[in-house]
Amino acid sequence: MLNKILIIGIILSSLFGKERADTQLDPMPITFAGTPFNLVENGHSAINYIWLHGDEKTAKMALDHHITLFPGKAFFIQNDNREIPYQSTIIDPNRLFSREGSLHALKKFKPYWAPGTLKKALDEMDLDRSQFLEKLMPEKDGLLIAVHNNSQGYNVKHELRNSQKMSLKYQQNPRDFILCTNESDFEKLAIGPYNVVLQDTVMDRDDGSLSWESLRRNVRYVNIETRLGYLIKQKKMLEFVSKSLN
């Protein structure tokens, strides 16, 4: 009887000890440049998604809906504005994916920095960027999809000079388009109903955008851009891209 009691005690102790250990192993919060991101996972997929500009609410709603229906990981920035606060200034999070882009972003709203402080900020950003991209980038041969909105006239024509191939549909609004960095993906998307451009060559002037960093890393990247407020359109484009490239 004593042996049975001891055995039961050991088993219970092991179970409760494991439970305590599990509860202590909380995942580390995901942040970039001091701004947190919320990660939503649905099953397993080689597709990762990101919503990067907090003022582009249509894109957020589209991705919120999409990730409940399609497997993958979705990264949502926890911010309400286009720029995020950083030290004593604000910066565009989609201009921080290179040191050169970070330099311009840091000086845009704060042209003058005390001696040594700008280099220190850039060095910190280099480390922060590396850690964030390690979490964001998909597995080998996977796909990274970003969702964006425009509201001030930006359209696909602004991307033509940096594009190597294009498939423009006259019946589509030029402010709704898909940008990709992989030629094979472009060929699959070009047969669909949407405007599509291919940018598979890094330009001399690096603006720090996620698309150029993905290209440097040989990661397939797609940006789905629509007018702000066109939720149904962006949902359909997300579904089209996911089904076409999965």
Side-chain angles (χ1 to χ4, degrees):
M1 176 63 73
L2 181 60
N3 288 339
K4 289 183 178 179
I5 293 173
L6 287 173
I7 292 172
I8 293 172
I10 292 170
I11 293 173
L12 290 174
S13 175
S14 174
L15 289 174
F16 285 120
K18 182 178 185 301
E19 183 179 349
R20 284 195 298 272
D22 290 343
T23 57
Q24 291 170 359
L25 295 176
D26 292 331
M28 292 292 291
I30 299 172
T31 63
F32 182 40
T35 297
F37 280 74
N38 184 33
L39 173 61
V40 177
E41 300 186 64
N42 180 11
H44 177 75
S45 170
I47 301 180
N48 288 357
Y49 303 86
I50 186 169
W51 173 63
L52 198 52
H53 282 145
D55 62 337
E56 297 173 0
K57 303 300 185 184
T58 304
K60 178 183 185 296
M61 289 187 288
L63 186 52
D64 265 331
H65 170 80
H66 185 81
I67 198 63
T68 65
L69 303 175
F70 291 83
K73 296 179 181 178
F75 294 76
F76 293 87
I77 195 167
Q78 301 300 288
N79 187 59
D80 289 326
N81 304 308
R82 182 179 184 84
E83 285 82 18
I84 59 175
Y86 185 75
Q87 295 191 14
S88 57
T89 186
I90 56 174
I91 48 179
D92 184 338
N94 198 31
R95 291 294 178 265
L96 304 178
F97 293 102
S98 70
R99 190 175 179 93
E100 182 180 351
S102 298
L103 173 63
H104 292 293
L106 287 168
K107 294 182 70 175
K108 181 176 181 179
F109 296 104
K110 184 182 177 182
Y112 305 105
W113 291 68
T117 58
L118 182 57
K119 180 183 183 302
K120 182 179 179 182
L122 287 169
D123 290 343
E124 291 175 354
M125 191 69 71
D126 286 346
L127 178 61
D128 208 14
R129 181 191 314 114
S130 177
Q131 293 173 343
F132 178 68
L133 289 173
E134 187 176 333
K135 297 182 178 71
L136 175 64
M137 288 298 171
E139 59 191 51
K140 188 177 180 345
D141 299 323
L143 177 66
L144 178 60
I145 298 177
V147 287
H148 285 280
N149 297 132
N150 58 73
S151 60
Q152 298 178 351
Y154 170 69
N155 63 70
V156 68
K157 296 177 183 178
H158 292 82
E159 297 293 343
L160 297 184
R161 68 189 180 110
N162 292 330
S163 300
Q164 286 67 57
K165 287 188 176 183
M166 58 204 73
S167 175
L168 305 181
K169 315 301 193 301
Y170 71 90
Q171 72 274 24
Q172 288 288 319
N173 192 298
R175 288 169 59 190
D176 305 325
F177 65 93
I178 300 168
L179 182 153
C180 62
T181 61
N182 178 276
E183 187 172 9
S184 177
D185 290 342
F186 172 82
E187 299 299 338
K188 294 174 183 177
L189 297 173
I191 63 176
Y194 304 110
N195 296 316
V196 188
V197 294
L198 170 68
Q199 295 184 358
D200 63 357
T201 303
V202 178
M203 298 292 102
D204 292 335
R205 187 182 184 281
D206 179 5
D207 65 0
S209 64
L210 183 56
S211 60
W212 296 131
E213 177 61 17
S214 299
L215 185 56
R216 281 190 293 269
R217 289 170 173 253
N218 198 30
V219 171
R220 296 160 58 213
Y221 171 92
V222 172
N223 173 33
I224 300 175
E225 181 94 24
T226 71
R227 290 161 286 172
L228 191 66
Y230 282 70
L231 179 58
I232 294 176
K233 183 68 169 284
Q234 196 154 30
K235 284 181 178 180
K236 289 181 178 179
M237 291 173 71
L238 259 171
E239 180 178 357
F240 167 70
V241 170
S242 294
K243 288 182 175 178
S244 299
L245 303 183
N246 196 3

